RNA sequence: GCUGCUGUAGCUCAGAGGUAGAGCACUCCCUUGGUAAGGGAGAGGUCGAGAGUUCAAUUCUCUCCAGCAGCACCA
């Protein structure tokens, strides 16, 4: 038998018989390592302890201490144990797939009856039973025919379909523990007893389409979370509880920012507090955009279908539009209109007024464009995904050569805005040419290169999202996460040669001939609604002072101080600070608590001492102690703090 | 849109086949209190909407609406 040389992380190497498994390698080092080992990294790949190694390579043996590998194995094995538990309780349930995800795993099942919360408890109990059996995990490679026959015989049509989708002659790996078997890439633990039976929890059950295809049957997906030990599980569950407190829907109610109601699903009734945030943010964006070389326009809400037909939206997007029909009793002619779902066609209309020269380009046309989209009911989510919203939208009309520069300029602009708003980090997704597309390959090459260069020039990392661009051009999406880690697209940058073509936008070039401009769709915040939702969650309601709807509450401690409280409020207002008086007949404890819960950043308490000395007792949100300071000092300090970041 | 769950006072929630309850919030009274809930009284609900079963439905059944979780969608 031939020999192979395995190199360990410390640089030493040893010879073994070809076909040696990591389990055998571990045993050759020490008994304790053999027991503790869970997997290996072989030649850069995560390797099952049972898989043979056939050539010279690098090897590292993993134990539970290697967090990345351990968590992947644990979660993957939990998924298998859960599937086995389900089939032991309900033998007729069909299994499909069960991958590892952030913090845990899921497994999709096909079963007539819905799983209930009580069922989840029963499954958890069965899983613990299985783990305690400490069944060894074994694996074998099967050929396709055998695997297909096996699953056909066992009435597992989903597995058969999975195998049929696996390309050609790729060998199929089977895993067992106990009598239970699953088709799986691996790697897995050595035995089910290596799973921490007290460090997992089944979280929820929800529908999920088979193979992610909404035309196919809906399966039941059970989600679980799993960790190396009980403490980490507890920590995770606690984190979820904390995150729930930051939910913008809850804080929106508690801070009296907005509400929504049945009569206008997916639309927001902004209350004075919430609208203050909104307008402050909009004022800020308006100043930033002016400074950034944009001109601002405003275009109609209700637009005749003729324009949507010309733009192509009527064909492709109609089911997502609110259609407005004006009938003949009210209008001279019957007309069919749509509420605008986006601003671009209207912006081309503005562009098309008057002949443009190459000297006018790039033309950056911005609008705080109020849009309505008939989003699917299941997609609605608080103020993050709504049917009526306002984009901080703009379209840059430019030449192909200007795209790179405009893209870089936008990324810098967006970074500056995000930084001002407290988001140092964000994810850029670079979506490239899809299979179904228009335009020449040369043009796609050029435009994709322009975007890539722009990202590099501005010094950001990005994630490639191949094939996910629009049919007419590539795009960048800028994403932020909410309190529980759900990812939301906020900013966007899209290259579009298509709409100028459809709506016949032109400019006169240096050569005196007509040319077609490119149109760059771009939004920084995306929508005010979504961005405010994200901001509420990321700040847990404690917005930066300049954005806080109620910046200061001045509270009297005794009613003899009420007049002074009004003077203090007037002094603050004179400095442009949003201040209000609280002279209710309540104790100071009560007032402090109420305004703390309401996330008011500064409470100024005034008793007779302050009245006599011309001071205020300042207490900042989150701080336990207050400080007595001269009123003038406080108004000056707060006025500085109230300055928006772009004016500071 | 799909699967499942939920809908009772402004909010958070309890409850039962015989037309409803708590805490907080609200109003009034007492209290003038020094930094996260002082005390008392009062008012407040067509139990999401519609239909059906029943002597009787807010409770059971069906349909619809909305919300929540996930999936799909987000040009």
């Amino acid at each position: 038998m031939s020999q192979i040389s395995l190199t360990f992380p410390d640089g030493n190497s040893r010879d073994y018989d070809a076909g040696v498994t990591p389990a055998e390698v571990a045993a050759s080092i020490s008994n304790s390592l053999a027991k503790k080992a869970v997997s290996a990294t072989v030649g850069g790949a995560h390797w099952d302890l049972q898989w043979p190694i056939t050539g010279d390579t690098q090897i590292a043996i993993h134990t539970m201490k290697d967090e990345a590998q351990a968590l992947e194995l644990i979660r993957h094995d939990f998924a298998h144990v859960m599937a086995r538990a389900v089939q032991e309780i309900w033998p007729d349930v069909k299994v499909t797939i069960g991958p590892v995800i952030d913090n845990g795993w899921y497994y999709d099942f096909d079963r007539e009856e819905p799983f209930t919360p009580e069922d989840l408890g029963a499954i958890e109990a069965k899983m613990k039973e299985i783990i305690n059996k400490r069944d060894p995990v074994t694996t074998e490679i099967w050929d396709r025919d055998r695997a297909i026959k096996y699953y056909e015989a066992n009435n597992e049509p989903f597995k058969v379909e999975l195998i049929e989708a696996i390309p050609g002659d790729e060998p199929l790996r089977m895993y067992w523990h106990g009598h239970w078997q699953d088709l799986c890439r691996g790697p897995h633990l050595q035995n089910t007893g290596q799973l921490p039976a007290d460090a997992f929890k089944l979280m929820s059950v929800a529908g999920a389409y088979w193979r992610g295809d909404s035309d196919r049957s809906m399966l039941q997906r059970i989600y679980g979370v799993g960790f190396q030990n009980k403490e980490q599980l507890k920590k995770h569950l606690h984190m979820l509880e904390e995150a729930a407190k930051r939910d913008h829907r809850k804080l929106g109610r508690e801070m009296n920012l907005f509400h929504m109601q049945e009569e206008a699903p997916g639309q927001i009734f902004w209350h004075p507090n919430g609208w203050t945030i909104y307008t402050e943010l909009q004022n800020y964006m308006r100043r930033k955009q002016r400074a950034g070389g944009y001109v601002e326009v405003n275009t109609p809400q209700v637009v005749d279908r003729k324009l949507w037909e010309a733009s192509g939206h009527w064909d492709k997007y109609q089911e997502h539009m609110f259609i407005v029909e004006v009938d003949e009793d009210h209008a001279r002619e019957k007309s069919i209109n749509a509420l605008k779902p986006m601003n671009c066609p209207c912006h081309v209309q503005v562009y098309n007024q008057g002949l443009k020269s190459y000297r006018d380009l790039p033309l950056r046309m911005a609008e705080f464009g109020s849009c309505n989209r008939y989003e699917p009911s299941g997609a609605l989510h608080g103020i993050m995904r709504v049917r009526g919203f306002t984009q901080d939208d703009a379209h840059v009309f430019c030449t192909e050569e200007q795209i790179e520069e405009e893209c870089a300029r936008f990324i810098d602009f967006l970074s500056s805005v995000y930084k001002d708003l407290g988001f140092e980090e964000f994810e850029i997704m670079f979506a490239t040419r899809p299979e179904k597309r228009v335009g020449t390959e040369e043009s796609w090459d050029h435009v994709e290169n322009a975007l890539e260069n722009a990202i590099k020039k501005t010094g950001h990392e990005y994630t490639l999202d191949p094939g996910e661009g629009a049919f007419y051009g590539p795009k960048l999406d800028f994403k932020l996460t909410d309190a529980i880690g759900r990812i939301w697209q906020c900013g966007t940058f899209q290259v579009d040669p298509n709409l100028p073509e459809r709506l016949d936008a032109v400019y006169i070039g240096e050569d005196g001939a007509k040319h077609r401009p490119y149109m760059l769709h771009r939004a920084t915040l995306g929508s005010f609604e979504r961005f405010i939702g994200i901001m509420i969650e990321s700040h847990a309601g404690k917005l930066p002072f300049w954005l806080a709807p109620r910046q200061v509450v001045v509270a009297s401690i005794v009613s003899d101080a009420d007049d002074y409280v009004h003077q203090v409020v007037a002094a603050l207002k004179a400095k442009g600070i949003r201040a209000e008086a609280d002279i209710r007949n309540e104790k100071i404890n009560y007032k402090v608590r109420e305004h703390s819960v309401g996330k008011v950043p500064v409470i100024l308490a005034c008793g007779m001492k302050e009245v006599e000395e011309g001071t205020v007792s300042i207490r900042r949100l989150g701080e336990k102690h207050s400080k007595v300071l001269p009123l003038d000092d406080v108004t000056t300090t707060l006025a500085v703090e109230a300055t928006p970041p772009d004016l500071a």
Side-chain angles (χ1 to χ4, degrees), chain A residues 329-461:
Chain A
D329 290 344
H330 301 105
R332 238 176 290 170
E333 277 176 59
K334 180 166 174 159
S335 67
I336 297 177
N337 306 273
L339 294 181
K340 70 173 169 186
M342 45 196 74
N343 308 298
C344 29
C346 290
H347 286 190
V348 178
Q349 307 313 303
V350 176
Y351 176 91
N352 282 169
Q353 292 299 116
L355 202 51
K356 297 292 181 294
S357 149
Y358 71 95
R359 296 174 195 277
D360 295 321
L361 306 186
L363 174 58
R364 306 187 192 94
M365 188 185 290
E367 175 173 5
F368 296 123
S370 183
C371 297
N372 290 273
R373 298 181 186 175
Y374 191 80
E375 299 285 11
S377 57
L380 302 178
H381 181 92
I383 65 171
M384 307 269 237
R385 182 86 180 261
V386 286
R387 290 182 175 155
F389 56 96
T390 300
Q391 294 179 309
D392 61 329
D393 200 9
H395 295 92
V396 180
F397 296 88
C398 67
T399 66
E400 186 163 328
E401 291 68 40
Q402 290 168 332
I403 292 173
E404 184 174 323
E405 160 70 21
E406 286 304 308
C407 184
R409 205 183 151 99
F410 174 66
I411 296 172
D412 284 338
F413 179 82
L414 177 140
S415 307
S416 154
V417 168
Y418 279 26
K419 193 174 173 193
D420 280 351
L421 298 177
F423 299 96
E424 298 282 341
E425 295 196 9
F426 51 88
E427 190 181 356
I428 304 181
M429 297 290 282
F430 179 17
T432 56
R433 66 192 81 182
E435 274 183 36
K436 278 190 183 172
R437 58 179 180 265
V438 297
T440 64
E441 293 309 288
E442 294 72 42
S443 165
W444 275 94
D445 287 343
H446 182 264
V447 173
E448 284 178 359
N449 281 335
L451 297 197
E452 197 184 347
N453 290 340
I455 302 172
K456 285 184 180 156
K457 210 184 325 182
T458 52
H460 292 273
E461 302 287 321

Side-chain angles (χ1 to χ4, degrees), chain A residues 50-177:
Chain A
Q50 299 177 54
W51 297 349
I53 305 167
T54 53
D56 294 355
T57 188
Q58 309 265 336
I59 185 169
I61 308 280
H62 301 303
T63 65
M64 282 294 181
K65 283 185 182 156
D66 298 307
E67 190 168 310
Q69 288 82 8
L71 284 176
E72 187 189 327
L73 288 163
I74 286 170
R75 289 165 184 164
H76 201 167
D77 280 70
F78 271 133
H80 277 215
V81 168
M82 182 173 84
R84 172 174 162 191
V86 166
Q87 287 198 310
E88 285 189 8
I89 302 173
W90 300 279
D92 291 341
V93 172
K94 312 221 179 312
V95 290
T96 65
I97 53 162
V100 171
I101 53 174
D102 280 356
N103 302 311
W105 73 90
Y106 66 77
Y107 207 111
D108 288 348
F109 300 97
D110 183 40
R111 180 188 181 219
E112 285 288 315
E113 297 290 304
F115 288 112
T116 64
E118 294 73 48
D119 290 342
L120 293 189
I123 298 166
E124 275 185 9
K126 180 62 85 174
M127 286 172 70
K128 286 179 183 167
E129 222 176 88
I130 292 169
I131 290 167
N132 287 329
K133 286 182 184 162
R134 306 185 62 82
D135 285 328
V137 176
T138 55
T139 180
E140 261 180 30
I141 289 176
W142 283 16
D143 66 47
R144 296 167 70 86
D145 290 349
R146 183 177 175 198
I148 289 174
K149 277 194 188 119
Y150 173 86
Y151 279 121
E152 278 174 346
N154 280 284
N155 193 22
E156 294 281 9
F158 295 97
K159 287 289 181 190
V160 173
E161 193 181 329
L162 279 179
I163 293 170
E164 282 167 348
I166 293 172
D169 36 7
E170 202 171 297
L172 302 173
R173 191 169 279 282
M174 291 292 181
Y175 272 89
W176 286 262
H177 43 85

Side-chain angles (χ1 to χ4, degrees), chain A residues 610-631:
Chain A
E610 287 75 14
V611 172
E612 282 151 20
E613 295 173 351
T615 56
V616 290
S617 168
I618 178 168
R619 180 189 166 113
R620 290 178 184 267
L621 185 58
E623 286 178 9
K624 290 221 166 70
H625 300 289
S626 55
K627 253 190 251 173
V628 177
L629 295 170
L631 175 59

